[in-house]
Every structure is written in C-alpha cells, then in structure tokens.
Amino acid sequence: MDFSALSVTSSSFQELLTLFASALGCGLMIGLERERSKQRENQHSFAGLRSFAVCALLGALCFLLDPVIGIAGAVIVGGIVIFSIQNQPDDPGITTELAFVMTYFIGAMCLWNAPIAAGLAVCLTIILMGKHSMHSFAGKWMTEAEFKDGLFLLALILIALPLTPNKPLWGAVLNPYVILKLLTLILAVQSLAHIAKRLLSSKNAMLLSAIASGFVSSTATIASLGMEVRSGRAEAKSNAGAALMSCVATLLQLLIIIAGVSMVWFKTILFPTAVATLILAGSAYWFLRSAVPVQKLEQEDSRMFSLKEAGIIAATLTLIQAGVYGLNLWLGDAGLIAGTLLASLFEIHAAMATVVMQGSPDQSAVFYAFIFGLAAHAIAKSINALLTGGWQYFRVFAPIQILHMAVLISLLILYR
C-alpha cells in the first residue's frame, strides 16, 4: 500500500488504520526492549513501553496532519529529551533519549514507506539489545592492534579504493584499482582467518592455523609442515591433513580473487571449486580427527594481518600477471599457456587471475591455459610435500591433492 498520498480527509479508514498500526507496532517493539532494560538494570529512565508507543503514533499523526505540524512535533520531542537529560545528571548515557527521538521519525516514516520504517525499528531494537555484548567486544575482546588493523582496512575499503583510478596501464594488466583491490582482499581474508582462529582455537588450533597460513602461502605451509614431519616433531598423517586444509584456503582465495576480476569465470568455477573444497576439507578432517588437541592460548595483542606479507603477495601477483601477459603478446596462445604453466608452479592466484583477464571460458586457449595451470600447481605442491616431508608425508597428502584437482578439472570440462 502506498502511504505517500495519505491525508486525513482523503484516506479511507482502512488506510489510516494500517498506518497507525504500523507506527504502533514499531513503537511497541522499541519500547518493549527499553522497558525490559529498565527492569533488568533497575534504571529510572524517562521513557518505557507506553512512552515509545505514544511517540511513534505522535510522529505518524503529526506528519499526517501537515509537515509543519510534524516539524513542530519533532521540536517538542527534542525539548522533552533535553529536559530529561538535564534532570538526570546521574545517567551518563543518552542512548534511550536518542532512541526516543528516532522512534518519533520512525513513526513518521510509516507515512511514506512502512517496510523501511519497520526495518529501522528492528535495527534500532537490535542495537539497544546489544549493549553489553558491544561494550564487551569494544573494551575487552578486541585488542589495540586489532582495532588499528581494522581501522586501516576500513580506510582502504571506504577511502582508498573509491579514489584509486580504475584504468589499466598496460593492455589489460597493471590496473592500480585491481592491484589495490587484490591487496584489500588479501588483508580482509587474513583478518577473517585471524578472527576465526580467535573464536574457535580451543578445539582445532592446528586446523585453523593451517587455514590462516594457507591464505598467506599454502606452498610455504605445506613445506613447513613437511619439515616438521621429516624432523620427527610431528606425525605425517595429522600434518598432511593440516596441509590439505591450507589448500582449502588456496581454493577459497582463488574464488575471491577471480570474483574480483571476472564474474563470468567465477560462475563457471564456483560449483567445481565447491566440490573440490569439500573433498579437501573432508579428507583433512578425517586425518586430523585423532590429532592431539591444543589448549587455548591466552589472548595476545596480535595483529589481524601482515601488511608486509600481503604487499609482497599483491606485488608478486601483479608481476606474474604482467609476465604472463607479456608472453601472450610475444608468443600468442602458446605464450599464454607456457606462461601460465610456469607461473602456476609458484603462485596459482596470479596465474589464474591473468588467464581469466585474457578472455572468457568459451575461448579454448584461455580455458586450457586455466586447466593446465591448475594441474601444474597440484603437481608442484605434491612434489613440494615429497621433498620436504618425505615419503610418509607425501603418500597421505599427494593422493587427495591430485584427486581434488582432477575432480575440479573434470567438472570444469563437463560444465563448460
């Protein structure tokens, strides 16, 4: 129902009833939360269930009569709030007072768009309910270093990215906006992995550490875990499971990067990658199920991400993209495939990002360069496991590594 044309004289009783019912519902929901908060904390706030309900109805009624009356009503509500603040010096907060003013305008919003008004009422109620959890999160759970990193990441997303020019400097590569977006994605993924590790580290610290490390470098993670096995400091089975979990991070990061470059390719690889990820995650969990649990560590003022490592990864991605693109210009399709194969031995994300920028999955040379790159990377990781961890580590890791990539490639060919 369109309430924008409502007026007291021209509207039907049903339309007016719907309007006031919407405003009353919003006011009652917000007021109910404030009433429960007062009783729970034994506070003497100026507004409760009835006050918020009346405030929402007043907002709807005043703006229904005339916009000038609506503004006058807002001034009156503001005056009531100021009077309340001056007469409650022991209450340092003004959350209830601000919610009271907002409730007035939410009631008025019902006149133009009742669904938006209801959504605002729900959001306001959730914010009011989250008082203790928000205070605990900001004051106790989040460390100083995490706060600074989060602020830096938000500055990149909200300020730097919109101001960065979105124009390639050489053909289809060396785009400053894409480079910064890749850096931002890497930092965001590292931050999410860090938060997940903080939340869940009491049970599967090894598994979560492997995922977090895999977002930085799965190849380095596999080598590090393999060297622990070779030195006798860890079991081959559990470390191979953690290494496979780092490959899950590789696939997830590949999806994120390709989504930022080409949605056509993202839709093409989404289902095959999801199936391959399930194979990796299921096998990793099976190998890790008997691993010795690690006790939860005390909270440290740790960083959410490493800007230096993320910068190195982003720079490497960019240089490899430029190299593969240059080979493509020099040798054509053969150069594209050869460059992708060489690049995939070291860094799969840059190679794949470069390939998808060259064309769509319908182009045979581009499609087979993508497949060959995936296969080369799986083989390179298996060789890495053999050289660093020995035969026992290799025989657990390599079959699953080759299997998940074979399934991914087969599904890509099948659903192309």
Short mmCIF file of all heavy atoms in Angstrom, two decimals, residues 196-260:
data_model
loop_
_atom_site.label_atom_id
_atom_site.label_comp_id
_atom_site.label_asym_id
_atom_site.label_seq_id
_atom_site.Cartn_x
_atom_site.Cartn_y
_atom_site.Cartn_z
N ALA A 196 38.49 -15.97 13.07
CA ALA A 196 38.02 -17.35 13.23
C ALA A 196 38.93 -18.12 14.18
O ALA A 196 38.46 -18.91 15.01
CB ALA A 196 37.96 -18.04 11.86
N LYS A 197 40.21 -17.89 14.07
CA LYS A 197 41.15 -18.57 14.95
C LYS A 197 40.97 -18.13 16.40
O LYS A 197 41.04 -18.94 17.32
CB LYS A 197 42.58 -18.28 14.49
CG LYS A 197 43.65 -19.13 15.18
CD LYS A 197 45.01 -18.83 14.59
CE LYS A 197 46.08 -19.64 15.32
NZ LYS A 197 47.43 -19.37 14.77
N ARG A 198 40.68 -16.84 16.59
CA ARG A 198 40.43 -16.33 17.94
C ARG A 198 39.18 -16.95 18.54
O ARG A 198 39.12 -17.26 19.73
CB ARG A 198 40.24 -14.81 17.89
CG ARG A 198 41.51 -13.99 17.80
CD ARG A 198 42.15 -13.79 19.16
NE ARG A 198 41.22 -13.21 20.11
CZ ARG A 198 40.98 -11.90 20.23
NH1 ARG A 198 41.62 -11.05 19.45
NH2 ARG A 198 40.12 -11.46 21.12
N LEU A 199 38.15 -17.13 17.72
CA LEU A 199 36.87 -17.62 18.22
C LEU A 199 36.88 -19.12 18.47
O LEU A 199 36.22 -19.61 19.39
CB LEU A 199 35.76 -17.28 17.23
CG LEU A 199 35.38 -15.79 17.10
CD1 LEU A 199 34.41 -15.60 15.97
CD2 LEU A 199 34.80 -15.28 18.41
N LEU A 200 37.61 -19.87 17.63
CA LEU A 200 37.47 -21.33 17.64
C LEU A 200 38.74 -22.08 18.01
O LEU A 200 38.80 -23.29 17.89
CB LEU A 200 37.01 -21.81 16.25
CG LEU A 200 35.75 -21.15 15.69
CD1 LEU A 200 35.54 -21.58 14.25
CD2 LEU A 200 34.53 -21.50 16.52
N SER A 201 39.76 -21.39 18.48
CA SER A 201 41.05 -22.03 18.66
C SER A 201 41.10 -23.03 19.80
O SER A 201 42.09 -23.71 19.98
CB SER A 201 42.14 -20.97 18.89
OG SER A 201 41.81 -20.19 20.02
N SER A 202 40.04 -23.14 20.59
CA SER A 202 40.09 -24.06 21.73
C SER A 202 40.09 -25.52 21.29
O SER A 202 40.52 -26.38 22.03
CB SER A 202 38.90 -23.79 22.66
OG SER A 202 37.69 -23.95 21.94
N LYS A 203 39.59 -25.83 20.10
CA LYS A 203 39.49 -27.24 19.70
C LYS A 203 40.44 -27.60 18.57
O LYS A 203 41.17 -28.56 18.64
CB LYS A 203 38.05 -27.54 19.27
CG LYS A 203 37.08 -27.60 20.41
CD LYS A 203 35.73 -28.06 19.95
CE LYS A 203 35.63 -29.55 19.98
NZ LYS A 203 34.28 -30.03 19.69
N ASN A 204 40.42 -26.87 17.51
CA ASN A 204 41.19 -27.28 16.33
C ASN A 204 42.19 -26.20 15.95
O ASN A 204 42.13 -25.62 14.86
CB ASN A 204 40.24 -27.55 15.15
CG ASN A 204 39.38 -28.76 15.40
OD1 ASN A 204 39.86 -29.80 15.84
ND2 ASN A 204 38.09 -28.64 15.14
N ALA A 205 43.11 -25.92 16.87
CA ALA A 205 44.09 -24.88 16.62
C ALA A 205 44.97 -25.20 15.41
O ALA A 205 45.30 -24.33 14.62
CB ALA A 205 44.97 -24.67 17.85
N MET A 206 45.33 -26.45 15.26
CA MET A 206 46.20 -26.84 14.15
C MET A 206 45.49 -26.64 12.81
O MET A 206 46.05 -26.10 11.86
CB MET A 206 46.61 -28.30 14.30
CG MET A 206 47.62 -28.78 13.29
SD MET A 206 48.14 -30.47 13.64
CE MET A 206 49.36 -30.69 12.36
N LEU A 207 44.23 -27.05 12.76
CA LEU A 207 43.45 -26.91 11.54
C LEU A 207 43.28 -25.44 11.17
O LEU A 207 43.48 -25.03 10.03
CB LEU A 207 42.10 -27.59 11.72
CG LEU A 207 41.12 -27.62 10.56
CD1 LEU A 207 40.32 -28.91 10.61
CD2 LEU A 207 40.15 -26.44 10.64
N LEU A 208 42.92 -24.62 12.16
CA LEU A 208 42.69 -23.20 11.89
C LEU A 208 43.98 -22.48 11.55
O LEU A 208 44.00 -21.57 10.74
CB LEU A 208 42.02 -22.56 13.11
CG LEU A 208 40.59 -23.03 13.37
CD1 LEU A 208 40.12 -22.57 14.73
CD2 LEU A 208 39.66 -22.53 12.30
N SER A 209 45.07 -22.88 12.19
CA SER A 209 46.36 -22.29 11.85
C SER A 209 46.74 -22.59 10.41
O SER A 209 47.30 -21.74 9.71
CB SER A 209 47.45 -22.81 12.79
OG SER A 209 47.18 -22.44 14.12
N ALA A 210 46.43 -23.81 9.96
CA ALA A 210 46.73 -24.19 8.58
C ALA A 210 45.91 -23.35 7.59
O ALA A 210 46.42 -22.91 6.56
CB ALA A 210 46.45 -25.67 8.37
N ILE A 211 44.63 -23.12 7.91
CA ILE A 211 43.80 -22.29 7.04
C ILE A 211 44.34 -20.87 6.98
O ILE A 211 44.50 -20.28 5.91
CB ILE A 211 42.34 -22.28 7.53
CG1 ILE A 211 41.73 -23.68 7.40
CG2 ILE A 211 41.51 -21.29 6.74
CD1 ILE A 211 40.32 -23.77 7.92
N ALA A 212 44.64 -20.31 8.17
CA ALA A 212 45.15 -18.94 8.22
C ALA A 212 46.47 -18.82 7.46
O ALA A 212 46.68 -17.87 6.70
CB ALA A 212 45.33 -18.51 9.67
N SER A 213 47.36 -19.80 7.65
CA SER A 213 48.64 -19.77 6.93
C SER A 213 48.45 -19.98 5.44
O SER A 213 49.18 -19.42 4.63
CB SER A 213 49.57 -20.86 7.49
OG SER A 213 49.78 -20.68 8.87
N GLY A 214 47.45 -20.80 5.08
CA GLY A 214 47.20 -21.06 3.66
C GLY A 214 46.78 -19.81 2.91
O GLY A 214 47.07 -19.67 1.71
N PHE A 215 46.09 -18.90 3.57
CA PHE A 215 45.72 -17.65 2.92
C PHE A 215 46.93 -16.78 2.62
O PHE A 215 46.89 -15.93 1.74
CB PHE A 215 44.72 -16.88 3.79
CG PHE A 215 43.31 -17.40 3.68
CD1 PHE A 215 42.66 -17.92 4.78
CD2 PHE A 215 42.64 -17.37 2.47
CE1 PHE A 215 41.37 -18.40 4.69
CE2 PHE A 215 41.35 -17.85 2.37
CZ PHE A 215 40.71 -18.37 3.49
N VAL A 216 47.99 -16.97 3.39
CA VAL A 216 49.23 -16.24 3.12
C VAL A 216 50.04 -16.96 2.05
O VAL A 216 50.41 -16.39 1.02
CB VAL A 216 50.06 -16.07 4.41
CG1 VAL A 216 51.37 -15.36 4.11
CG2 VAL A 216 49.26 -15.30 5.45
N SER A 217 50.32 -18.25 2.28
CA SER A 217 51.05 -19.05 1.30
C SER A 217 50.84 -20.52 1.62
O SER A 217 51.43 -21.05 2.58
CB SER A 217 52.54 -18.72 1.31
OG SER A 217 53.24 -19.60 0.45
N SER A 218 50.03 -21.20 0.82
CA SER A 218 49.79 -22.62 1.03
C SER A 218 51.06 -23.42 0.75
O SER A 218 51.35 -24.40 1.44
CB SER A 218 48.66 -23.09 0.12
OG SER A 218 48.46 -24.48 0.25
N THR A 219 51.82 -23.02 -0.26
CA THR A 219 53.06 -23.72 -0.60
C THR A 219 54.03 -23.69 0.57
O THR A 219 54.63 -24.71 0.94
CB THR A 219 53.71 -23.08 -1.84
OG1 THR A 219 52.80 -23.15 -2.93
CG2 THR A 219 55.00 -23.79 -2.20
N ALA A 220 54.19 -22.52 1.21
CA ALA A 220 55.08 -22.40 2.36
C ALA A 220 54.55 -23.20 3.54
O ALA A 220 55.33 -23.79 4.30
CB ALA A 220 55.24 -20.93 2.74
N THR A 221 53.23 -23.24 3.71
CA THR A 221 52.63 -24.01 4.80
C THR A 221 52.89 -25.50 4.63
O THR A 221 53.24 -26.20 5.59
CB THR A 221 51.11 -23.75 4.86
OG1 THR A 221 50.88 -22.35 5.01
CG2 THR A 221 50.48 -24.50 6.02
N ILE A 222 52.73 -26.00 3.40
CA ILE A 222 52.99 -27.42 3.12
C ILE A 222 54.44 -27.76 3.41
O ILE A 222 54.75 -28.79 4.02
CB ILE A 222 52.63 -27.74 1.66
CG1 ILE A 222 51.12 -27.61 1.44
CG2 ILE A 222 53.10 -29.14 1.28
CD1 ILE A 222 50.72 -27.62 -0.01
N ALA A 223 55.35 -26.88 3.00
CA ALA A 223 56.77 -27.12 3.24
C ALA A 223 57.09 -27.09 4.73
O ALA A 223 57.84 -27.95 5.23
CB ALA A 223 57.60 -26.06 2.51
N SER A 224 56.53 -26.14 5.46
CA SER A 224 56.79 -26.05 6.89
C SER A 224 56.29 -27.27 7.65
O SER A 224 56.99 -27.84 8.49
CB SER A 224 56.13 -24.78 7.44
OG SER A 224 56.28 -24.69 8.83
N LEU A 225 55.06 -27.72 7.31
CA LEU A 225 54.51 -28.90 7.95
C LEU A 225 55.31 -30.15 7.57
O LEU A 225 55.50 -31.07 8.39
CB LEU A 225 53.05 -29.07 7.56
CG LEU A 225 52.08 -28.00 8.10
CD1 LEU A 225 50.73 -28.11 7.40
CD2 LEU A 225 51.92 -28.16 9.60
N GLY A 226 55.78 -30.20 6.32
CA GLY A 226 56.58 -31.34 5.89
C GLY A 226 57.91 -31.42 6.62
O GLY A 226 58.35 -32.53 7.00
N MET A 227 58.54 -30.29 6.86
CA MET A 227 59.82 -30.30 7.58
C MET A 227 59.64 -30.74 9.03
O MET A 227 60.55 -31.35 9.61
CB MET A 227 60.46 -28.91 7.51
CG MET A 227 61.04 -28.59 6.12
SD MET A 227 61.94 -27.02 6.04
CE MET A 227 60.58 -25.86 6.04
N GLU A 228 58.47 -30.44 9.62
CA GLU A 228 58.20 -30.94 10.98
C GLU A 228 58.13 -32.46 10.98
O GLU A 228 58.61 -33.12 11.91
CB GLU A 228 56.89 -30.34 11.50
CG GLU A 228 56.97 -28.87 11.87
CD GLU A 228 55.68 -28.39 12.48
OE1 GLU A 228 54.70 -29.18 12.53
OE2 GLU A 228 55.62 -27.22 12.91
N VAL A 229 57.51 -33.03 9.94
CA VAL A 229 57.42 -34.49 9.84
C VAL A 229 58.79 -35.10 9.65
O VAL A 229 59.16 -36.09 10.30
CB VAL A 229 56.48 -34.89 8.69
CG1 VAL A 229 56.48 -36.40 8.49
CG2 VAL A 229 55.07 -34.39 8.95
N ARG A 230 59.59 -34.52 8.77
CA ARG A 230 60.92 -35.06 8.47
C ARG A 230 61.82 -35.04 9.71
O ARG A 230 62.64 -35.94 9.93
CB ARG A 230 61.57 -34.28 7.34
CG ARG A 230 62.91 -34.85 6.88
CD ARG A 230 63.47 -34.05 5.72
NE ARG A 230 62.75 -34.32 4.49
CZ ARG A 230 63.01 -35.35 3.67
NH1 ARG A 230 63.93 -36.23 3.99
NH2 ARG A 230 62.32 -35.51 2.57
N SER A 231 61.65 -34.00 10.54
CA SER A 231 62.49 -33.89 11.74
C SER A 231 61.98 -34.75 12.89
O SER A 231 62.62 -34.81 13.94
CB SER A 231 62.56 -32.43 12.19
OG SER A 231 61.28 -31.95 12.58
N GLY A 232 60.81 -35.38 12.72
CA GLY A 232 60.26 -36.24 13.76
C GLY A 232 59.47 -35.50 14.82
O GLY A 232 59.10 -36.09 15.84
N ARG A 233 59.17 -34.20 14.62
CA ARG A 233 58.45 -33.43 15.62
C ARG A 233 56.93 -33.51 15.44
O ARG A 233 56.18 -32.94 16.22
CB ARG A 233 58.88 -31.96 15.54
CG ARG A 233 60.30 -31.74 16.03
CD ARG A 233 60.71 -30.28 16.02
NE ARG A 233 60.99 -29.81 14.66
CZ ARG A 233 60.29 -28.90 14.03
NH1 ARG A 233 59.22 -28.39 14.60
NH2 ARG A 233 60.62 -28.51 12.80
N ALA A 234 56.46 -34.21 14.40
CA ALA A 234 55.02 -34.32 14.16
C ALA A 234 54.73 -35.58 13.38
O ALA A 234 55.61 -36.16 12.74
CB ALA A 234 54.51 -33.10 13.39
N GLU A 235 53.46 -36.03 13.45
CA GLU A 235 53.03 -37.20 12.70
C GLU A 235 52.70 -36.82 11.26
O GLU A 235 52.18 -35.74 10.99
CB GLU A 235 51.79 -37.82 13.35
CG GLU A 235 52.04 -38.40 14.74
CD GLU A 235 50.79 -39.03 15.31
OE1 GLU A 235 49.72 -38.90 14.67
OE2 GLU A 235 50.88 -39.65 16.38
N ALA A 236 52.99 -37.74 10.35
CA ALA A 236 52.76 -37.47 8.92
C ALA A 236 51.28 -37.29 8.63
O ALA A 236 50.88 -36.42 7.85
CB ALA A 236 53.34 -38.60 8.09
N LYS A 237 50.43 -38.10 9.27
CA LYS A 237 49.01 -38.09 8.95
C LYS A 237 48.34 -36.78 9.35
O LYS A 237 47.63 -36.17 8.56
CB LYS A 237 48.33 -39.26 9.67
CG LYS A 237 46.94 -39.58 9.16
CD LYS A 237 46.42 -40.85 9.81
CE LYS A 237 45.05 -41.22 9.26
NZ LYS A 237 44.53 -42.46 9.90
N SER A 238 48.59 -36.32 10.58
CA SER A 238 47.96 -35.09 11.05
C SER A 238 48.50 -33.88 10.31
O SER A 238 47.75 -32.96 9.95
CB SER A 238 48.16 -34.93 12.55
OG SER A 238 49.54 -34.89 12.87
N ASN A 239 49.80 -33.84 10.05
CA ASN A 239 50.37 -32.70 9.33
C ASN A 239 49.93 -32.67 7.87
O ASN A 239 49.74 -31.60 7.30
CB ASN A 239 51.90 -32.73 9.42
CG ASN A 239 52.42 -31.98 10.63
OD1 ASN A 239 51.76 -31.95 11.66
ND2 ASN A 239 53.58 -31.37 10.51
N ALA A 240 49.75 -33.85 7.28
CA ALA A 240 49.23 -33.89 5.91
C ALA A 240 47.80 -33.36 5.87
O ALA A 240 47.40 -32.67 4.93
CB ALA A 240 49.30 -35.31 5.36
N GLY A 241 47.01 -33.68 6.91
CA GLY A 241 45.65 -33.15 6.99
C GLY A 241 45.64 -31.63 7.08
O GLY A 241 44.85 -30.95 6.43
N ALA A 242 46.55 -31.08 7.91
CA ALA A 242 46.66 -29.63 8.02
C ALA A 242 47.12 -29.02 6.69
O ALA A 242 46.64 -27.95 6.29
CB ALA A 242 47.63 -29.26 9.14
N ALA A 243 48.03 -29.71 6.00
CA ALA A 243 48.48 -29.22 4.70
C ALA A 243 47.34 -29.18 3.69
O ALA A 243 47.22 -28.24 2.89
CB ALA A 243 49.63 -30.10 4.19
N LEU A 244 46.51 -30.21 3.70
CA LEU A 244 45.34 -30.22 2.82
C LEU A 244 44.38 -29.09 3.17
O LEU A 244 43.74 -28.49 2.29
CB LEU A 244 44.62 -31.57 2.91
CG LEU A 244 45.35 -32.76 2.31
CD1 LEU A 244 44.64 -34.06 2.67
CD2 LEU A 244 45.46 -32.62 0.80
N MET A 245 44.28 -28.76 4.45
CA MET A 245 43.41 -27.66 4.87
C MET A 245 43.94 -26.34 4.36
O MET A 245 43.17 -25.42 4.05
CB MET A 245 43.30 -27.64 6.39
CG MET A 245 41.97 -27.13 6.89
SD MET A 245 40.62 -28.23 6.42
CE MET A 245 39.24 -27.09 6.44
N SER A 246 45.25 -26.20 4.25
CA SER A 246 45.81 -24.97 3.69
C SER A 246 45.45 -24.85 2.21
O SER A 246 45.34 -23.74 1.68
CB SER A 246 47.33 -24.94 3.87
OG SER A 246 47.98 -25.84 2.98
N CYS A 247 45.26 -26.00 1.54
CA CYS A 247 44.84 -25.98 0.13
C CYS A 247 43.38 -25.52 0.00
O CYS A 247 42.99 -24.98 -1.04
CB CYS A 247 45.02 -27.35 -0.50
SG CYS A 247 46.74 -27.90 -0.56
N VAL A 248 42.58 -25.76 1.04
CA VAL A 248 41.23 -25.21 1.06
C VAL A 248 41.29 -23.69 1.00
O VAL A 248 40.53 -23.04 0.28
CB VAL A 248 40.47 -25.67 2.33
CG1 VAL A 248 39.15 -24.93 2.48
CG2 VAL A 248 40.23 -27.17 2.29
N ALA A 249 42.22 -23.11 1.77
CA ALA A 249 42.41 -21.66 1.75
C ALA A 249 42.81 -21.20 0.35
O ALA A 249 42.38 -20.13 -0.12
CB ALA A 249 43.46 -21.25 2.77
N THR A 250 43.62 -22.00 -0.34
CA THR A 250 44.03 -21.65 -1.72
C THR A 250 42.81 -21.54 -2.62
O THR A 250 42.68 -20.59 -3.40
CB THR A 250 45.00 -22.71 -2.27
OG1 THR A 250 46.18 -22.73 -1.47
CG2 THR A 250 45.37 -22.40 -3.71
N LEU A 251 41.91 -22.53 -2.55
CA LEU A 251 40.72 -22.51 -3.41
C LEU A 251 39.79 -21.36 -3.06
O LEU A 251 39.25 -20.70 -3.95
CB LEU A 251 39.98 -23.84 -3.28
CG LEU A 251 40.68 -25.08 -3.85
CD1 LEU A 251 39.79 -26.31 -3.69
CD2 LEU A 251 41.04 -24.88 -5.31
N LEU A 252 39.61 -21.10 -1.77
CA LEU A 252 38.74 -20.00 -1.37
C LEU A 252 39.30 -18.66 -1.82
O LEU A 252 38.57 -17.80 -2.30
CB LEU A 252 38.56 -20.01 0.16
CG LEU A 252 37.81 -21.22 0.74
CD1 LEU A 252 37.76 -21.13 2.26
CD2 LEU A 252 36.41 -21.32 0.16
N GLN A 253 40.61 -18.50 -1.66
CA GLN A 253 41.23 -17.25 -2.10
C GLN A 253 41.18 -17.12 -3.62
O GLN A 253 41.02 -16.02 -4.15
CB GLN A 253 42.68 -17.19 -1.60
CG GLN A 253 43.29 -15.80 -1.69
CD GLN A 253 44.60 -15.72 -0.92
OE1 GLN A 253 45.08 -16.71 -0.38
NE2 GLN A 253 45.17 -14.55 -0.87
N LEU A 254 41.29 -18.25 -4.32
CA LEU A 254 41.17 -18.22 -5.77
C LEU A 254 39.78 -17.74 -6.19
O LEU A 254 39.64 -16.92 -7.11
CB LEU A 254 41.44 -19.62 -6.34
CG LEU A 254 41.36 -19.78 -7.86
CD1 LEU A 254 42.43 -18.94 -8.54
CD2 LEU A 254 41.48 -21.24 -8.26
N LEU A 255 38.75 -18.24 -5.51
CA LEU A 255 37.39 -17.80 -5.80
C LEU A 255 37.23 -16.31 -5.56
O LEU A 255 36.62 -15.58 -6.36
CB LEU A 255 36.40 -18.56 -4.93
CG LEU A 255 35.94 -19.95 -5.40
CD1 LEU A 255 35.02 -20.57 -4.37
CD2 LEU A 255 35.23 -19.86 -6.74
N ILE A 256 37.78 -15.83 -4.44
CA ILE A 256 37.64 -14.41 -4.10
C ILE A 256 38.33 -13.53 -5.15
O ILE A 256 37.79 -12.53 -5.60
CB ILE A 256 38.22 -14.15 -2.70
CG1 ILE A 256 37.37 -14.85 -1.65
CG2 ILE A 256 38.30 -12.66 -2.42
CD1 ILE A 256 37.98 -14.86 -0.26
N ILE A 257 39.54 -13.92 -5.54
CA ILE A 257 40.30 -13.12 -6.50
C ILE A 257 39.64 -13.12 -7.87
O ILE A 257 39.51 -12.08 -8.53
CB ILE A 257 41.76 -13.62 -6.58
CG1 ILE A 257 42.50 -13.29 -5.28
CG2 ILE A 257 42.49 -13.01 -7.77
CD1 ILE A 257 43.89 -13.86 -5.19
N ILE A 258 39.18 -14.30 -8.32
CA ILE A 258 38.53 -14.37 -9.63
C ILE A 258 37.21 -13.61 -9.62
O ILE A 258 36.83 -12.97 -10.61
CB ILE A 258 38.33 -15.84 -10.04
CG1 ILE A 258 39.69 -16.46 -10.38
CG2 ILE A 258 37.38 -15.96 -11.23
CD1 ILE A 258 39.64 -17.89 -10.84
N ALA A 259 36.49 -13.63 -8.49
CA ALA A 259 35.25 -12.86 -8.39
C ALA A 259 35.52 -11.38 -8.55
O ALA A 259 34.70 -10.63 -9.09
CB ALA A 259 34.57 -13.13 -7.05
N GLY A 260 36.70 -10.93 -8.10
CA GLY A 260 37.05 -9.52 -8.26
C GLY A 260 37.53 -9.16 -9.65
O GLY A 260 37.65 -7.97 -9.97
#
